[in-house]
Amino acid sequence: MNKILSIITLICVSQLTFGQNTFPTTGSVGIGTTSPEARLHVSGGSIQVGNYTQNGMVYLGGGKAYAGIGSTRSDGGLILGKNIYARYDNATYNYKALVGSTSSRGFSGLKFGLDGKIDLFSANGSVTEDEVANSDQNIRMSINSQGNVGIGTASPGTTLDINNGTLRLKGSSALGQEAARFVVDTGASSGHTLMILRNTSNGEILRVNGGGSMILNGDLESKKVKVTQTPGNWPDYVFSPNYKLKSLHELEAYIQSNQHLPEVPTAKEVEKKGQDLGDIQATLLKKVEELTLYMIEQNKKTSAQEERIKALEKENQILKKLIQKK
């Protein structure tokens, strides 16, 4: 009897270790190895959970309502998340992650799909079991095969595509003045457009070009505007002794002929081309300085005339006294 038991035991042991597998009653389990290095060690192979007709998921915790990892039907996409799962029953479930359990706390998940597409999807509040979790309306962020990143959209059309949202850039003063919060660099070419702002009602509102120009279709309100000038352009040279000031007769003739001051753009030019704020300020200052010179010159003439009048009045008094003596 003891011999028979020994033979049966040897047969069982041989079966448990056959094919480089080991299934001890205690300790670690090895598949493809007789020396497992973990509680479950699979060597030279893979683990398949589910098949073409069953749910292909591994649940961590308490079932579908907890954390899980698995694969979606048809595309073999990898999904992982909280309160989500996948079904393989039929083509209805192709590519889809489903809500694991009806809940008032929502779900969150991540899917790695075909062609390098990655989707982050979630919902808060009430959700219902088996509704589609990775629908477009639940996509919070998506990266497509071109590397475009979409926030609030499942189909990003640009490198960063934010749909119906706000971009906020916040930094610390400790970064210093040179640490810019927002930088757009188009490279060496100046022909690129750096930024366009538009809305449905007014169309394009603001355009910033690579060459440094900016076009604004609307009002600009600011507490302070600083405009720099090319050295030598600011008209202090008007007060130089060598500056040639037009006479008032020359100025009058120019105005009668052209209907505007010299060097000041005409109304048609401003309507067609606009005006350079820095240039027009410099031009207006130049005219003020020229007007100041005219006033100084006129004041000299007026002062000389007043002195001449006083002298004539004095002579007139003398003549009156001489006439009265006669």
Side-chain angles (χ1 to χ4, degrees):
M1 184 65 177
N2 290 332
K3 290 182 178 180
I4 295 174
L5 291 174
S6 298
I7 292 171
I8 293 173
T9 302
L10 287 172
I11 292 173
C12 291
V13 170
S14 65
Q15 290 297 319
L16 290 173
T17 59
F18 181 77
Q20 298 299 311
N21 299 329
T22 180
F23 303 97
T25 56
T26 61
S28 301
V29 175
I31 301 176
T33 177
T34 57
S35 302
E37 299 176 3
R39 287 297 184 186
L40 173 61
H41 183 173
V42 179
S43 177
S46 61
I47 297 176
Q48 178 173 323
V49 178
N51 51 44
Y52 291 110
T53 60
Q54 301 297 322
N55 302 338
M57 294 291 299
V58 174
Y59 300 115
L60 311 175
K64 294 191 299 181
Y66 289 77
I69 180 170
S71 177
T72 52
R73 190 181 191 278
S74 182
D75 64 342
L78 171 65
I79 61 169
L80 63 155
K82 168 73 170 67
N83 196 21
I84 62 168
Y85 82 113
R87 294 181 66 89
Y88 280 12
D89 303 52
N90 54 58
T92 302
Y93 302 107
N94 286 357
Y95 317 116
K96 295 176 182 177
L98 308 174
V99 175
S101 177
T102 298
S103 171
S104 61
R105 302 298 298 273
F107 61 82
S108 58
L110 184 65
K111 177 180 178 180
F112 296 86
L114 296 173
D115 303 317
K117 194 174 190 304
I118 303 173
D119 290 329
L120 173 65
F121 52 95
S122 68
N124 60 7
S126 298
V127 293
T128 304
E129 183 176 355
D130 285 342
E131 68 177 277
V132 179
N134 62 333
S135 62
D136 286 352
Q137 67 183 19
N138 293 331
I139 299 296
R140 301 297 178 244
M141 184 170 72
S142 181
I143 302 176
N144 66 12
S145 57
Q146 287 77 42
N148 294 341
V149 178
I151 299 176
T153 175
S155 304
T158 58
T159 304
L160 176 61
D161 192 341
I162 300 176
N163 181 41
N164 194 27
T166 301
L167 175 64
R168 181 181 183 183
L169 304 175
K170 186 176 181 181
S172 169
S173 59
L175 295 176
Q177 293 182 351
E178 297 303 319
R181 272 55 168 184
F182 185 69
V183 177
V184 179
D185 189 348
T186 60
S189 175
S190 61
H192 296 90
T193 299
L194 297 181
M195 182 172 63
I196 297 176
L197 301 181
R198 64 166 65 96
N199 65 27
T200 304
S201 300
N202 301 320
E204 188 171 304
I205 298 173
L206 176 68
R207 176 184 290 263
V208 181
N209 296 314
S213 62
M214 182 175 70
I215 302 172
L216 174 65
N217 180 24
D219 298 334
L220 175 64
E221 182 175 341
S222 174
K223 291 183 178 180
K224 185 177 181 180
V225 176
K226 182 178 181 180
V227 180
T228 58
Q229 280 284 302
T230 304
N233 281 2
W234 204 243
D236 286 350
Y237 54 80
V238 171
F239 296 134
S240 170
N242 299 323
Y243 182 73
K244 183 173 175 56
L245 183 67
K246 292 180 181 291
S247 69
L248 287 174
H249 292 295
E250 292 175 324
L251 181 60
E252 181 183 12
Y254 182 92
I255 292 173
Q256 289 178 347
S257 175
N258 297 279
Q259 306 300 307
H260 65 90
L261 288 172
E263 302 172 282
V264 175
T266 65
K268 289 184 178 180
E269 290 175 333
V270 173
E271 291 171 1
K272 183 178 180 180
K273 301 179 181 179
Q275 59 182 353
D276 185 295
L277 185 59
D279 287 347
I280 196 64
Q281 288 296 318
T283 299
L284 293 176
L285 178 61
K286 182 177 181 179
K287 297 308 161 186
V288 171
E289 291 179 345
E290 288 179 341
L291 179 60
T292 301
L293 292 178
Y294 286 129
M295 292 179 64
I296 291 174
E297 182 179 351
Q298 187 63 36
N299 184 64
K300 289 178 180 180
K301 290 180 179 180
T302 302
S303 297
Q305 289 176 350
E306 288 178 352
E307 293 298 325
R308 178 61 177 164
I309 290 173
K310 289 180 180 180
L312 289 174
E313 288 178 347
K314 186 175 181 180
E315 291 177 2
N316 188 41
Q317 291 294 329
I318 294 172
L319 288 173
K320 283 183 178 181
K321 289 179 180 180
L322 290 174
I323 292 172
Q324 288 174 356
K325 286 182 180 181
K326 294 180 179 181

